[in-house]
Amino acid sequence: MSIPGRDPELSRPADAALSGDEEVLRALVRRRDAGSKPDARSDPYRIALVVAGGGMRGAYAGGMVRALEEAGLSDTFDVVYGSSAGAFVGTALVLGHGNDAARIFSEDMACKEFIDPRRLGTRRPMVSLDHLFDEILTVSKPTSWSSLQTSPVPLHVVVTDADDMQPYVMTELDSAQEWKLAMRATATIPWLAGPPVELRGRRWIDGSVGDPLPVLRALRDGATHVLALLTRTVPELRRSDPGEKAPLWARSLDVVVPGLGAMTQDVRRHADSLALLSDAAHPDRGGAHLLAITPARTSGVRGLTIDVDRVERAADLGHEAAVAALRAVDGDGQL
């Protein structure tokens, strides 16, 4: 797809890549070919999927999840972790909605009903989670929250405590309503998307504020293999100059909650996760197999982009990246 008026730089291949261990994908393919199912594995592994957030950048991850589903790998994972948009994409995988994960961003979310800067400074949030939950996830792309209670592949939703700004995980919740609240919490940023969400006596906000890429969390929970789906190219992830001025909206958040704006600049906080993913000898890996899939190119999508062509292209680029990674280990398989 060509995008009229798109900067040629946006389609240039990334000039760097994360090193990774293809054994992660080989283990998934072996499980698929053996007919392995959750709770009835024949291997001793614990394979985790970690999906990064990033607002509308989640379209990249949506395309990747579509590729995983097409390859028959959805139920080869033992657990899925997600922060913010990554939690929604992870939900699509465990519920078998991989195709919707690739389409929802361009077909339903890239609109002013969902994101409209003109609402800044009004009583209505710039990002309408009401539209997301009451229209998109109810009418356009219906989601059965109660199905998360019985999913054989558990979903771990990362949220941030609004009072201490520390990340926590919500899983094995008791009702569809609690799951819906947890998902709303992981997408909530005060001033931009509404007030903190109250659940089980505490107030919660966007999970990516506290843990934008929970790879280390997956390892500490016992994962032997981790596949991470990233929503930025490697050069974007490594652009973390602390002198770079934060955008106006982030500085505005600091006025509302001191430190919140800085914490939402998750590019600056990916360094630890990138080191973990890139260094096979990293002391926190403990012999685990880690692999990241990143888009090879950028379509120019940012967290609040609603340009349909760019968002659709992001999903295509994510799909291409995942297909390429899978073909490297399964060229004669089901891809």
Side-chain angles (χ1 to χ4, degrees), residues 18-294:
L18 292 175
S19 60
D21 189 344
E22 290 182 343
E23 173 58 21
V24 177
L25 296 181
R26 292 193 185 98
L28 293 172
V29 170
R30 288 196 300 269
R31 281 185 168 184
R32 180 200 66 196
D33 294 348
S36 176
K37 298 298 179 183
D39 299 323
R41 307 292 191 197
S42 59
D43 61 53
Y45 308 140
R46 179 175 173 85
I47 306 181
L49 178 69
V50 173
V51 189
M56 294 299 286
R57 288 187 179 92
Y60 292 108
M64 295 173 190
V65 160
R66 174 190 158 203
L68 292 172
E69 185 172 282
E70 290 171 343
L73 299 176
S74 298
D75 63 359
T76 58
F77 295 96
D78 296 302
V79 62
V80 175
Y81 295 80
S83 294
S84 193
F88 290 85
V89 174
T91 296
L93 179 87
V94 302
L95 296 185
H97 300 164
N99 191 46
D100 282 348
R103 296 165 46 227
I104 191 171
F105 289 91
S106 60
E107 292 184 358
D108 303 290
M109 296 170 68
C111 64
K112 290 184 177 179
E113 289 81 8
F114 179 48
I115 299 173
D116 191 347
R118 295 175 300 180
R119 293 198 290 263
L120 281 174
T122 72
R123 293 185 178 181
R124 300 169 59 204
M126 175 180 172
V127 179
S128 176
L129 295 182
D130 286 343
H131 183 74
L132 175 62
F133 283 92
D134 298 341
E135 295 295 330
I136 297 174
L137 296 176
T138 299
V139 180
S140 302
K141 302 286 189 297
T143 297
S144 173
W145 303 112
S146 60
S147 296
L148 290 173
Q149 295 173 253
T150 56
S151 169
V153 179
L155 178 68
H156 287 208
V157 179
V158 181
V159 293
T160 303
D161 189 301
D163 297 315
D164 64 17
M165 292 295 173
Q166 294 301 306
Y168 295 84
V169 163
M170 290 192 177
T171 191
E172 297 182 355
L173 299 176
D174 294 333
S175 67
Q177 179 62 15
E178 283 198 333
W179 274 110
K180 188 174 180 180
L181 286 172
M183 296 298 293
R184 189 177 183 111
T186 197
T188 294
I189 296 180
W191 190 70
L192 282 183
V197 173
E198 294 189 11
L199 177 58
R200 296 192 172 186
R202 300 170 77 171
R203 303 183 311 130
W204 308 100
I205 61 173
D206 193 310
S208 64
V209 171
D211 194 353
L213 189 61
V215 174
L216 182 57
R217 182 178 298 274
L219 293 178
R220 288 175 174 169
D221 287 348
T224 60
H225 299 63
V226 178
L227 177 62
L229 307 183
L230 306 188
T231 57
R232 292 175 172 84
T233 64
V234 175
E236 288 177 312
L237 287 166
R238 289 179 170 156
R239 187 182 64 234
S240 56
D241 177 7
E244 190 176 319
K245 191 174 183 180
L248 175 60
W249 66 265
R251 284 179 276 145
S252 299
L253 283 180
D254 278 329
V255 174
V256 179
V257 181
L260 178 59
M263 292 187 74
T264 59
Q265 298 301 286
D266 54 0
V267 167
R268 298 170 183 242
R269 296 181 293 110
H270 273 95
D272 290 344
S273 293
L274 292 179
L276 187 58
L277 289 165
S278 299
D279 183 3
H282 195 289
D284 287 329
R285 287 180 70 141
H289 301 279
L290 274 64
L291 178 68
I293 298 178
T294 63

Side-chain angles (χ1 to χ4, degrees), residues 303-322:
L304 301 175
T305 297
I306 58 171
D307 182 299
V308 173
D309 287 337
R310 288 177 187 261
V311 174
E312 184 176 15
R313 179 60 177 156
D316 290 342
L317 289 169
H319 184 264
E320 290 171 13

